[in-house]
Amino acid sequence: MSLRTITSRRSITALAASCAAAVLAVTPASAAPADLGESITGNAVNRHLIAFQRIADQNGGNRASGQPGYEASVDYVAGKLQRAGFDVTTPEFTYEAYFKDSFSLAVAGQPTEGDALEYSPATPQGGLTAPLAVLPVDETPGCEATDFAATEVTGTVVLIQRGACDFATKQQLASEAGAVGAIIYNNAEGPLNGTLGGADAGRIPTAGVTKQVGEALAGQAGAEVKLDVQARFETVTTRNVVAQTKTGRTDNVVMAGAHLDGVPEGPGINDNGTGSAGLLETALKLGSSPDVENAVRFAWWGAEESGLIGSTQYVQGLSFEEQLDIALYLNFDMIGSPNAGYFVYDGDGSTGGPSGPQGSGQIKDDFIATMAAQGIESEPSEFNGRSDYGEFIAVGIPSGGMHTGVEDLKTEEQAAKWGGTAGIAFDPNYHGAGDDLSNVDRVALERMTKGIANVVQAYSQSTEAVNGMQTRAERAQLRAAQTTMMAQDQGPKVGHGHNLG
């Protein structure tokens, strides 16, 4: 169900024309620059990225949650904030982490390039052998039980095209139809970096392959498949970082977050060193005791790459009253993609996807306005709950944010508008070893961080355009009703969204 924002929203054209007088023009703060965005420099943000790269280099090449590189990243961010005078905590949480020890795939006796989807169940030692079944391609391949009725999949490894629903649904339905394994192939160029979303989601061993490999396999129905996935779960204890200003109302807090962890395959500099660095520099420039109306709370989340674990546990650990103290949440996940686009989360559902809690559309408009003030036309990005804002919208907190694109291919129109190269991914190094300091668009990084700073500063002075409620009782009633409606209208919350489906 589409939810209207409390105040009417302006058109994009009007926003661009009036951005200087929009909500982003705020009263100067005594402990922070009058225009916080103008105080941001790309060099300062990049310095944090250098730190993250060196931390990864010194700790096995990654900053994955539960690993030494992540703990060192926590210490770096928390130390910077503590020295700046913030009230800082690093709350611990525990989760079941997935570790893949080995993977191999062969079809008709030929080694086949691919990888196990995260949270894929392990095969027996030595792997499994079964014939290949090929699911016909339609508009929703493998997304409905009836898709498997026309093809005999019992006892097979079934080949399914990506698209229309998440990977977990495809392999679950395949399992219910009797398949012993699944191979999901991409519907666009590039590798398929996939996850089933959580420790309890896996039903059958599941591999991901490229579009090219998948299309070649589609002509080999009945061929012998040998699939070997050796993986395990371990209980991991790790930390978030949470810092709040010492000034401003604590019952109407502006909250902004970014995940600090990366994947084991690389140093995680764009994903998500960039969001973490931009948020950190915003906090340092704002200062710990700014002259603000509303307190600002910054968060760096752990175990996002394992299914939004850190942010989800944080929100679920708050009482309803503590959740009510949060006026809104802003999320920044990948803001320096090397073939960058400029995307704003679509809080009002104008793209045809889900809408966020009431007020999320206004947040979208304000991010569009702050980017327009820099001469940049942004585009809406589906607001599907598949990043760290997921649990915030699930409990009715207005949310929004920005990113520069993931693994989708940049179109000709987007290249003409933003520069870069059409036909390749916004981040070709996504979730790979190449996601390092050499593959960041620093122009985009500076622009996005300026946008973050300006919106955070604006909301530190007033959130009236977003939440607009005069009493806590009214806000409580709205959120309680809204949470129920979202659960009914949009189904269960899903996990990490870069690579769910």
Side-chain angles (χ1 to χ4, degrees):
M1 180 178 182
S2 178
L3 301 175
R4 294 172 51 220
T5 54
I6 296 169
T7 60
S8 62
R9 296 187 297 277
R10 301 151 288 180
S11 68
I12 294 177
T13 302
L15 278 166
S18 62
C19 58
V23 64
L24 300 172
V26 298
T27 303
S30 63
D35 186 342
L36 193 62
E38 285 302 308
S39 73
I40 298 293
T41 67
N43 285 339
V45 182
N46 189 61
R47 183 177 176 87
H48 302 312
L49 295 186
I50 294 171
F52 293 144
Q53 179 71 61
R54 292 187 183 179
I55 286 170
D57 291 344
Q58 294 167 10
N59 291 278
N62 71 77
R63 301 185 304 102
S65 275
Q67 302 301 307
Y70 179 74
E71 293 302 307
S73 298
V74 168
D75 292 341
Y76 174 79
V77 171
K80 287 283 186 183
L81 295 163
Q82 288 165 347
R83 288 189 290 274
F86 281 89
D87 292 327
V88 182
T89 60
T90 57
E92 289 188 344
F93 62 94
T94 299
Y95 71 104
E96 290 298 304
Y98 180 81
F99 294 94
K100 181 190 68 180
D101 295 321
S102 65
F103 169 86
S104 66
L105 174 65
V107 181
Q110 297 299 311
T112 302
E113 184 178 358
D115 203 355
L117 271 64
E118 186 180 24
Y119 295 116
S120 167
T123 62
Q125 288 290 334
L128 63 83
T129 301
L132 179 68
V134 178
L135 203 69
V137 176
D138 58 18
E139 292 184 354
T140 58
C143 297
E144 299 168 348
T146 54
D147 293 343
F148 297 86
T151 303
E152 179 54 55
V153 301
T154 301
T156 71
V157 174
V158 60
L159 179 70
I160 311 169
Q161 188 187 66
R162 180 182 191 174
C165 63
D166 58 50
F167 300 132
T169 297
K170 293 176 188 286
Q171 59 91 40
Q172 179 179 343
L173 291 174
S175 174
E176 292 171 354
V180 297
I183 301 171
I184 301 175
Y185 66 100
N186 217 340
N187 55 4
E189 297 302 320
L192 189 147
N193 296 298
T195 178
L196 300 181
D200 58 350
R203 299 292 184 271
I204 52 177
T206 304
V209 299
T210 65
K211 179 182 180 183
Q212 181 180 12
V213 169
E215 290 176 346
L217 294 180
Q220 300 183 56
E224 182 182 79
V225 177
K226 291 186 176 180
L227 175 62
D228 189 356
V229 179
Q230 298 305 313
R232 57 196 160 82
F233 289 95
E234 289 185 7
T235 301
V236 169
T237 299
T238 188
R239 299 179 288 169
N240 293 323
V241 180
V242 181
Q244 183 163 310
T245 59
K246 296 179 177 178
T247 50
R249 289 174 54 186
T250 58
D251 63 347
N252 196 58
V253 174
V254 174
M255 189 164 188
H259 76 86
L260 184 56
D261 64 316
V263 295
E265 288 77 10
I269 298 304
N270 184 40
D271 183 19
N272 184 36
T274 54
S276 294
L279 193 67
L280 178 58
E281 190 60 21
T282 296
L284 296 176
K285 283 294 190 286
L286 180 68
S288 60
S289 300
D291 182 9
V292 292
E293 178 66 21
N294 304 308
V296 181
R297 185 180 305 164
F298 298 94
W300 288 262
W301 307 116
E304 190 269 358
E305 298 290 2
S306 297
L308 316 182
I309 306 295
S311 57
T312 297
Q313 291 204 22
Y314 175 83
V315 175
Q316 292 179 352
L318 301 175
S319 68
F320 183 76
E321 285 295 319
E322 290 169 329
Q323 292 174 2
L324 207 59
D325 288 335
I326 301 173
L328 55 91
Y329 175 71
L330 310 175
N331 193 72
F332 308 103
D333 192 349
M334 302 175 65
I335 62 169
S337 302
N339 192 31
Y342 295 88
F343 297 97
V344 172
Y345 290 129
D346 183 26
D348 58 8
S350 66
T351 60
S355 58
Q358 190 168 14
S360 301
Q362 183 64 51
I363 296 173
K364 166 191 167 181
D365 285 350
D366 291 338
F367 276 116
I368 290 172
T370 197
M371 299 312 291
Q374 297 185 58
I376 300 164
E377 180 186 351
S378 51
E379 289 185 6
S381 176
E382 186 177 351
F383 200 58
N384 50 29
R386 293 178 175 180
S387 190
D388 280 309
Y389 58 82
E391 193 65 21
F392 289 89
I393 65 175
V395 300
I397 296 173
S399 301
M402 299 189 293
H403 66 93
T404 51
V406 192
E407 58 187 347
D408 293 334
L409 305 185
K410 180 176 279 188
T411 66
E412 294 284 353
E413 294 78 12
Q414 290 168 332
K417 178 168 55 178
W418 295 324
T421 305
I424 68 169
F426 293 100
D427 187 354
N429 309 292
Y430 169 66
H431 278 194
D435 184 11
D436 59 23
L437 196 61
S438 67
N439 288 309
V440 172
D441 184 332
R442 288 173 177 78
V443 173
L445 179 65
E446 182 172 359
R447 289 170 173 172
M448 295 290 275
T449 305
K450 287 179 180 292
I452 293 169
N454 282 335
V455 172
V456 167
Q457 185 183 33
Y459 291 147
S460 75
Q461 301 300 330
S462 174
T463 64
E464 184 177 359
V466 175
N467 56 17
M469 305 304 291
Q470 298 302 308
T471 69
R472 285 176 63 86
E474 288 175 314
R475 194 193 299 179
Q477 184 177 20
L478 174 67
R479 289 193 183 174
Q482 203 158 256
T483 300
T484 300
M485 284 192 297
M486 289 183 69
Q488 293 172 343
D489 295 340
Q490 297 180 9
K493 181 178 68 66
V494 295
H496 178 240
H498 294 329
N499 53 356
L500 269 166

